[in-house]
Amino acid sequence: MSDTETIQRPVVLPKTEKPKLYKVILLNDDFTPRDFVTSVLMSVFRMSESEAQGVMLTAHRLGACVVAVYTKEVAEMKAKDATDLGRQYGFPLAFTTEKES
Ligand code: NFA
């Protein structure tokens, strides 16, 4: 045996899995008041009033609008919290989630 030996270490590749992201989508309906939708967007998604009005109007005109993108758990929790707020006041307001492609 020689005085020096080379120790073979396994090559460990860093695991850099990027988290899967999910969109929260606001769906239009004919009953929820515009100001209520704007307030929910401001409180649940921390938007300014003008941002929230822009998202609300886009959903109103086009039928749906992407609100924000989060990890799966956060997106699902925010969509539920926002939908539940509408339900508490008797509105059919609905937010869904969709995996980013
Ligand atoms: N379309 C609703 C109205 O005219 C407003 C609305 C916008 C509801 C976006 C839901 C989503 N009162």
Side-chain angles (χ1 to χ4, degrees), residues 26-29 32-34 37 56 59-60 93:
L26 165 63
L27 303 177
N28 186 37
D29 68 70
T32 310
R34 292 180 185 208
V37 179
M56 179 277 294
H60 175 75
L93 182 64

Side-chain angles (χ1 to χ4, degrees), residues 12-20:
V12 180
L13 296 172
K15 239 199 190 145
T16 51
E17 276 166 38
K18 41 185 178 171
K20 295 174 192 80

